[in-house]
Amino acid sequence: DSGVTQTPKHLITATGQRVTLRCSPRSGDLSVYWYQQSLDQGLQFLIQYYNGEERAKGNILERFSAQQFPDLHSELNLSSLELGDSALYFCASSVGGTGGLYEQFFGPGTRLTVL
Amino acid sequence: DQQVKQNSPSLSVQEGRISILNCDYTNSMFDYFLWYKKYPAEGPTFLISISSIKDKNEDGRFTVFLNKSAKHLSLHIVPSQPGDSAVYFCAANRRGSTLGRLYFGRGTQLTVWP
């Protein structure tokens, strides 16, 4: 158990819908990352937050948005869903947000299926 | 643009033998490299890392080798055990960067058979 929790574990929805994925980081971790893993792909970085502030954006679509709340949990909002959005979405957390200095701990992921 | 590449999607090895997983990168700014292991229905877990100031790092049965001139790293598992069967991801970033994001390869499915 990494200490990072993600809900829900599975989500099945229809095209055009909107969903919210939730992540609670490990206690004490200030940085949260979201990654997307599509079929046969590596983990693609979406967005990073550090202590409530957006730190970096990766290949995140405009239909997607995220935030980190004062209690440090984070939510990833996906709207106008398309079939191609079906993927595993992982949240990771680390104590700090600096590269190479802090281990990232991953949650178990949310599997999103868009029908 | 895939900056970290794992060209072998799968590897099958007999128990007790050596498993060698390979990874290549294209970004010369990367100076910190990690291997993550992932079981089905779980998130990736950190396995071992190496900084570019080293060319080798060992942790028990796991050794990572880094060849900076070739922009290549490899993970050796000796001896391989059935419990090592998992997907292994290579990842990289730039140490000290304010951006803590990791760049991942697509993963290699390792199967260790008895």
Side-chain angles (χ1 to χ4, degrees), chain B residues 25-90:
Chain B
Y25 61 97
T26 58
N27 190 334
S28 57
M29 300 297 287
F30 290 151
D31 57 6
Y32 189 64
F33 306 89
L34 310 90
W35 286 93
Y36 277 80
K37 177 178 177 178
K38 184 183 178 305
Y39 292 116
E42 295 181 12
T45 55
F46 170 75
L47 189 58
I48 192 168
S49 64
I50 188 167
S51 164
S52 61
I53 61 173
K54 293 185 170 184
D55 53 19
K56 177 181 171 181
N57 189 27
E58 283 182 85
D59 184 1
R61 296 184 298 113
F62 302 91
T63 303
V64 57
F65 295 91
L66 175 63
N67 181 334
K68 290 185 288 295
S69 61
K71 294 193 179 70
H72 176 83
L73 61 154
S74 61
L75 174 68
H76 292 213
I77 307 174
V78 184
S80 301
Q81 299 173 355
D84 296 329
S85 296
V87 177
Y88 289 79
F89 290 100
C90 174

Side-chain angles (χ1 to χ4, degrees), chain A residues 33 35 37 40-45 48 55-58 88 90 97-101 103-109, chain B residues 2 32 34 36 38 41-46 87 89 93-107:
Chain A
Y33 307 80
Y35 293 89
Q37 186 186 14
D40 294 333
Q41 298 289 316
L43 282 77
Q44 301 292 320
F45 170 71
Q48 176 194 2
R55 175 69 71 89
K57 269 188 174 179
L88 266 171
F90 289 104
T98 306
L101 298 181
E103 182 180 339
Q104 289 186 27
F105 294 84
F106 282 78
Chain B
Q2 197 77 17
Y32 189 64
L34 310 90
Y36 277 80
K38 184 183 178 305
E42 295 181 12
T45 55
F46 170 75
V87 177
F89 290 100
N93 69 3
R94 185 178 167 194
R95 196 156 196 161
S97 166
T98 55
L99 306 178
R101 62 160 295 180
L102 295 171
Y103 295 81
F104 281 90
R106 294 186 180 187

Side-chain angles (χ1 to χ4, degrees), chain A residues 8 10-22 60-67 69 74-83 85 89 110 112-115:
Chain A
H10 302 277
L11 200 46
I12 301 175
T13 188
T15 54
Q17 295 297 305
R18 173 190 166 94
V19 297
T20 297
L21 312 184
R22 182 187 168 100
I60 187 166
L61 300 171
E62 285 192 15
R63 300 184 284 108
F64 295 2
S65 65
Q67 57 185 126
F69 294 86
S74 177
E75 292 181 357
L76 179 66
N77 300 297
L78 315 176
S79 61
S80 302
L81 285 167
E82 301 175 0
L83 296 178
D85 297 328
Y89 291 84
T110 293
L112 173 66
T113 302
V114 182
L115 301 175

